Amino acid sequence: MRAFRLSRRSVLAAGAAVAALPVVQGRAQAAAPAAGGAYRWRNVVQGGTGFVTGVLFHPSVRGLAYARTDIGGAYRWDDRADRWIPLTDHIGWDDWNLLGVEAMAVDPAHPGRLYLALGTYAQSWAGNGAVLRSEDRGATWKRTDLDVKLGANEDGRGCGERLLVDPRDSDTLWLGTRHDGLLRSTDRGASWQAVNFPAAPSATGQGVTLLVAAGRTVYAGWGDFDGRSANLHGTADGTTWEAVPGQPTGAAAKVPIRAAYDRHTRELYVTYADAPGPNGQSDGSVHKLRTTNGTWTEVTPVRPGGATDDGGTDSFGYGGVAVDARRPGTVVVSTNNRWALVDTLYRTTDGGRTWKSLKDEAVLDVSETPYLKWGADQAKFGWWIQAVGLDPFDSEHVVHGTGATLYGTRDLKHWAPEIRGLEEASVRRLISPPAGQAHLISGSGDIGVMYHERLTASPSRGMASNPVFGTATGLALATARPSYVVRAGWGDNGNGAYSHDGGRTWAPFKAQPATAKSAPGPIATDADGRVLLWSFGAADPGFRSADNGGTWSEVASFPKGAVPVADPVDPARFYAFDTGTGTLFASTDSGATFTARATGLHSGDSEFQLAVTPGRSGHLWLSLKWNGLYRSTDGGTSFTKVSTCRASYTLGFGKAADGASYPALYMVGSTEAITAVYRSDDEARTWTRINDDRHQWGWIGATITGDPRVYGRVYIATNGRGVQYGEPVR
């Protein structure tokens, strides 16, 4: 997975100055929406749902903090509004790989300065990383493109921070990479050069795991530990790096995860684990270095390896660490990957001689984000805890990130999500019902399906239960009977379920095909809600049920791996597009058999999308990505290319405009050069761009749908910024 490597050559790149937004791939951003296309954009509130990999309080400004995520960008805390403000929504389609934030840094001496190291994947197919720099806390940016790759959504993404302002010189920055050693900038991030660092990168893809200042000395953690080389280095002059003498060794101190410096006692606290995490850790420790004399002391709260009540082993590593800027010797550390006894924070007030678990007396209030109960009666204190922050102006204000939220306390006892505005779901499926209570039902990666009775509050029912899903793979409703909804995904009680009340409550299918256990895929229901079609992997046939999932039969003529689509009017008709051959298949006997219709359409990409117009039988729209948009009005017998569209990635429908008889079309695609969000009120004869340069959200090609009850309202699934919804500015 990480065989791709770049040389440690000089990394030189000039950043282009802009007034408000960075340059994209060396080109200016596209113009604002056309007249009449002005929209207001907001998140559909889910309440987090993604991995918060870092949180950073500014040491000099009360109420100023930043958070980073693995795929959903960075945020600034607005203390007055009590919410997070997204800082990277301007990142566009071509730069999707930059929505993962590898590291962030602030300048203690210049409160307006903020730096972000961006790059989601270090694989050969992903773009290179970039550094954003701001003088106004992320309101505007300048950008420097790197010629190395970063990995904000790879193993070790909870380590760090890997970016640091040098304590001796605010113009100097350090950036640790996974495969290319250590980089330095002497012009506040405008250009970067590789420096001589004593450790050699390996294929594990960890490289520099952390950078921290302790007085005027900078320390760097090294994650490619081979059992012989040092994993912690330091420099006192900014030129020569040396292994730190006497540093801990052994499996429990294999990978330095995070570090924090107590300026009162001049001690550096370092958390360690036997793997970078967030998964795969089974051992770990905590050590402190007295920087005045080089003495190391182990201060591990509890060593992993003890027995659990059920006879298992209490295995875990250590993750986050934060020191109290006001109280010497007061430190908070987190466990990570502790599934048996559940992860916790340990706090010491005496420099690590004694510790207290903050979980033991914690009172959790997740009423604002009920999904955190995950179908159970109680929410967990956390998992994947590698981000820990301690407010430098309030010793009892502690926050910690988890795989789904950011918890905070103001008294060390009562905890609640401090997550407003920070939405990081990777959304796969959307339905906006034509009637009923909910305007939206969403299906996401990791957090299953949610029923949104309100768009401005996390769903009161939390995640859909019975079964509770991890990742949702399918979501559909019966157009003539919208109270009937079905869903598919990886569940705790079967991988498929149905609802008779519009998605409020669910029950699992009584049976499921054998292939559904390992590869649940998209699912469809006919217009009347009497027949189900369920698709699986490219090597597996589709299956049909005519008794609400009680029994299933193989449909041999269904194209393997295709997405089944039901006709919105005629319950006997289903459609499927075979991407391997570029053939449209149709069924006129309720999905029992399929026959080929239009052939010779572009083939070879599994992500092409087929959509049907609400209220129109046989009106099909085929999004063929950069090969354009095609339309059929005869049930797929023939298709015509839409001349007004250069590229189409996903298409949906909403309420028709006043005076129009055809539903409004919403598309992620392009009419000329830029990939954006468009609306057409005249059956794709003309398009209006409705998003703008500040609202792009990286890759948004999964699904889009309009609201059938509210003209102009559109819902967009993003890969890391949740569900965005837009409405025309009146």
Side-chain angles (χ1 to χ4, degrees), residues 24-163:
V24 177
Q25 300 290 344
R27 303 184 303 273
Q29 295 270 16
Y39 261 60
R40 179 189 181 189
W41 293 96
R42 289 172 285 181
N43 262 113
V44 173
V45 176
Q46 292 175 284
T49 76
F51 187 21
V52 179
T53 51
V55 60
L56 184 62
F57 283 97
H58 198 285
S60 307
V61 181
R62 182 185 293 271
L64 179 59
Y66 298 94
R68 63 176 169 96
T69 63
D70 51 3
I71 62 172
Y75 299 78
R76 181 185 68 245
W77 179 252
D78 186 330
D79 206 37
R80 293 184 178 180
D82 196 32
R83 65 184 298 110
W84 294 96
I85 306 300
L87 301 178
T88 48
D89 283 356
H90 64 271
I91 291 173
W93 178 274
D94 291 340
D95 286 325
W96 64 268
N97 191 54
L98 299 184
L99 265 181
V101 184
E102 180 87 292
M104 55 188 176
V106 297
D107 187 338
H110 299 86
R113 293 180 185 173
L114 172 66
Y115 302 91
L116 301 178
L118 308 179
T120 310
Y121 299 104
Q123 311 304 315
S124 59
W125 41 260
N128 290 339
V131 173
L132 295 187
R133 57 195 193 278
S134 175
E135 297 284 342
D136 51 16
R137 305 182 184 183
T140 61
W141 296 100
K142 296 178 181 179
R143 168 174 159 180
T144 294
D145 290 321
L146 304 173
D147 58 3
V148 304
K149 297 178 184 294
L150 305 179
N153 194 36
E154 299 193 349
D155 288 348
R157 58 194 182 273
C159 297
E161 296 294 325
R162 291 177 165 95
L163 186 62

Side-chain angles (χ1 to χ4, degrees), residues 286-356:
V286 182
H287 298 257
K288 69 177 181 179
L289 167 66
R290 185 174 292 276
T291 60
T292 55
N293 60 14
T295 301
W296 283 91
T297 305
E298 181 172 359
V299 291
T300 307
V302 174
R303 282 300 300 268
T308 60
D309 292 340
D310 61 0
T313 301
D314 183 24
S315 62
F316 58 91
Y318 279 92
V321 55
V323 299
D324 193 328
R326 304 166 65 88
R327 298 178 179 178
T330 298
V331 185
V332 177
V333 300
S334 73
T335 65
N336 185 65
N337 206 49
R338 192 182 197 183
W339 297 105
L341 298 182
V342 182
D343 280 301
T344 185
L345 301 185
Y346 287 105
R347 181 174 183 263
T348 179
T349 58
D350 55 15
R353 288 190 293 274
T354 60
W355 297 85
K356 180 179 180 180

Side-chain angles (χ1 to χ4, degrees), residues 647 651-652 665-680 687-691 704 714:
L651 187 81
L665 276 66
Y666 297 92
M667 180 182 70
V668 175
S670 62
T671 58
E672 293 180 354
I674 186 171
T675 300
V677 185
Y678 295 88
R679 188 190 72 230
S680 176
W687 297 91
T688 299
R689 184 186 174 194
I690 59 175
N691 73 325
I704 188 172
V714 60

Side-chain angles (χ1 to χ4, degrees), residues 445-603:
D446 296 336
I447 60 162
V449 172
M450 288 187 175
Y451 176 90
H452 302 267
E453 64 268 72
R454 296 171 57 196
L455 302 179
T456 56
S458 186
S460 63
R461 297 177 179 273
M463 294 169 55
S465 58
N466 194 26
V468 172
F469 280 175
T471 293
T473 60
L475 188 60
L477 62 73
T479 53
R481 187 161 63 100
S483 60
Y484 183 74
V485 189
V486 292
R487 59 187 173 98
W490 280 271
D492 64 350
N493 186 25
N495 291 342
Y498 65 92
S499 172
H500 283 304
D501 54 14
R504 294 181 182 87
T505 61
W506 298 85
F509 296 144
K510 292 183 179 178
Q512 63 182 21
T515 51
K517 295 180 181 180
S518 58
I523 195 168
T525 174
D526 70 353
D528 290 342
R530 299 181 184 278
V531 173
L532 304 177
L533 280 180
W534 200 350
S535 178
F536 304 98
D540 299 313
F543 282 80
R544 177 181 185 271
S545 175
D547 57 4
N548 197 35
T551 59
W552 296 87
S553 58
E554 180 180 323
V555 182
S557 54
F558 181 85
K560 293 180 179 179
V563 177
V565 176
D567 191 277
V569 176
D570 186 347
R573 295 190 181 190
F574 284 91
Y575 311 98
F577 181 63
D578 183 354
T579 60
T581 63
T583 302
L584 190 286
F585 284 80
S587 171
T588 57
D589 56 5
S590 299
T593 61
F594 280 79
T595 57
R597 292 196 173 178
T599 62
L601 298 167
H602 189 83
S603 61

Side-chain angles (χ1 to χ4, degrees), residues 375-423:
D377 294 331
Q378 299 292 328
K380 288 187 177 181
F381 189 74
W383 65 99
W384 283 14
I385 306 178
Q386 294 187 293
V388 175
L390 205 164
D391 192 333
F393 297 91
D394 183 353
S395 296
E396 294 189 344
H397 182 201
V398 180
V399 297
H400 69 276
T402 78
T405 192
L406 185 75
Y407 280 119
T409 181
R410 302 282 177 156
D411 61 5
L412 303 180
K413 181 178 180 180
H414 296 87
W415 298 78
E418 291 189 9
I419 201 70
R420 292 179 188 172
L422 199 164
E423 300 285 352

